[in-house]
Amino acid sequence: MTRIDKKFAELKKQNRKAFICYLMACDPNEGFTKDILSKLPSAGCDIIEVGMPFSDPMAEGITIQNATKRALKNNCDIKKILDIVKDFRKTDNGTPIILMGYYNPILKFGIEKFLKSAKTSGADGFIIVDLPFEEENEFKIHSDKFDLPLIRLTTPTTDDARAKKILKTAKGFVYHITVAGVTGQKSAIANDVKTSINNIKKHTKLPVCAGFGIKTPEQARELVKHADGIVVGSALIKMIEDNLANPKKAEKEILDFVRSVRKVI
């Protein structure tokens, strides 16, 4: 079993839902990322998504766009990100790490080299926002070889025919985007999410986790009633953006928020 499979099996046994946190690597700097990642699991985060910055983040709202700019100003690249993961693994061998980003930097780095390096560093899977199912074969051949799942994305507009097609070979879990649009702009509505997740669950036995538009513990509590887990990203990154002059305050706000969500899901 992969770390992802083990984590969801553990959560199921404990009758708990997954709490997945997203943070951009090297935002506001590499040291902050290393420090906060090491503290997220004890605060209540089950799986961590680490953002890989790219100059054209088409799926992102302004909050993550700004985080991307800060990371790139810090010369954040794949090598630095993999070093962050390797550093995390020195003290935590159980929390899954998902690398989330865009395909261009991976192509530039080299697909097989990237996957081999990711495996060695201790990464557990990938979300590649702009890699459609129809074009993923070259990447998936290698990711399967290293037993590193490519997490599939579904949306409110994913119909039954497409869901059946893209989820047939899915692994790890399904990331269900709760709203149409970019990250951090709209709030997810529980009733809408219930309908779309129920449709997705007809086509897979994998856990389905809801992300985009979750900004408060109250929203998390309502949405997790219909999903196997929730993903929070922009809300955490906004805490960094609002406290760039005081990273310790940003860290405290993030960890307090994580604890408050963990209490209600």
Side-chain angles (χ1 to χ4, degrees):
M1 294 177 74
T2 65
R3 284 191 191 94
I4 298 171
D5 295 333
K6 288 178 181 177
K7 178 58 67 175
F8 278 104
E10 173 188 312
L11 290 168
K12 186 175 181 179
K13 188 175 181 180
Q14 297 171 353
N15 196 30
R16 293 196 301 129
K17 301 295 182 76
F19 184 16
I20 304 173
C21 297
Y22 169 94
L23 288 171
M24 178 64 67
C26 305
D27 175 38
N29 56 62
E30 185 177 350
F32 180 91
T33 301
K34 287 182 176 181
D35 188 48
I36 193 72
L37 292 192
S38 71
K39 296 175 180 177
L40 282 173
S42 61
C45 174
D46 299 302
I47 298 172
I48 302 172
E49 292 178 6
V50 177
M52 300 186 292
F54 176 52
S55 57
D56 187 18
M58 64 179 73
E60 317 302 350
I62 189 64
T63 299
I64 295 183
Q65 286 182 33
N66 288 338
T68 296
K69 291 176 184 177
R70 293 191 294 269
L72 291 174
K73 281 184 179 180
N74 289 327
N75 298 313
C76 189
D77 57 15
I78 285 176
K79 185 180 182 303
K80 278 190 179 181
I81 294 165
L82 296 178
D83 284 344
I84 287 170
V85 177
K86 190 180 295 184
D87 186 74
F88 178 83
R89 286 286 169 239
K90 292 176 183 176
T91 57
D92 189 318
N93 197 42
T95 305
I97 295 280
I98 308 294
L99 301 180
M100 184 172 184
Y102 296 81
Y103 201 34
N104 187 279
I106 296 170
L107 281 174
K108 184 177 179 181
F109 193 83
I111 296 171
E112 189 167 10
K113 178 185 174 185
F114 170 72
L115 286 159
K116 184 176 181 180
S117 300
K119 182 73 173 182
T120 301
S121 73
D124 298 290
F126 312 96
I127 298 171
I128 305 178
V129 180
D130 60 344
L131 181 61
F133 172 76
E134 290 80 3
E135 304 294 335
E136 71 176 24
N137 192 54
E138 184 180 11
F139 184 89
K140 194 171 183 300
I141 287 172
H142 294 297
S143 65
D144 284 348
K145 181 171 69 175
F146 290 106
D147 201 18
L148 294 171
L150 179 59
I151 306 301
R152 295 275 164 70
L153 299 167
T154 60
T155 75
T157 59
T158 303
D159 60 25
D160 283 343
R162 183 159 183 79
K164 183 177 180 180
K165 184 178 180 181
I166 67 176
L167 297 177
K168 185 177 180 181
T169 57
K171 296 180 179 180
F173 65 95
V174 178
Y175 187 130
H176 182 70
I177 297 171
T178 59
V179 296
V182 296
T183 57
Q185 301 301 298
K186 300 177 183 178
S187 293
I189 300 171
N191 284 340
D192 294 343
V193 172
K194 178 181 179 180
T195 300
S196 57
I197 286 182
N198 284 344
N199 287 337
I200 296 303
K201 281 181 170 287
K202 291 188 298 186
H203 303 286
T204 183
K205 293 182 179 179
L206 292 175
V208 179
C209 297
F212 281 43
I214 303 172
K215 303 176 183 179
T216 67
E218 292 73 27
Q219 284 179 320
R221 181 182 58 210
E222 292 305 307
L223 289 169
V224 85
K225 293 176 182 177
H226 314 300
D228 299 297
I230 54 104
V231 186
V232 177
S234 294
L236 304 181
I237 290 174
K238 189 67 168 64
M239 295 171 195
I240 295 173
E241 184 175 80
D242 289 344
N243 295 285
L244 291 173
N246 191 349
K248 284 295 182 183
K249 185 180 178 185
E251 179 182 284
K252 183 179 185 305
E253 288 188 7
I254 290 170
L255 296 176
D256 285 348
F257 181 89
V258 171
R259 292 185 190 102
S260 66
V261 171
R262 180 75 272 172
K263 288 179 181 179
V264 299
I265 67 169

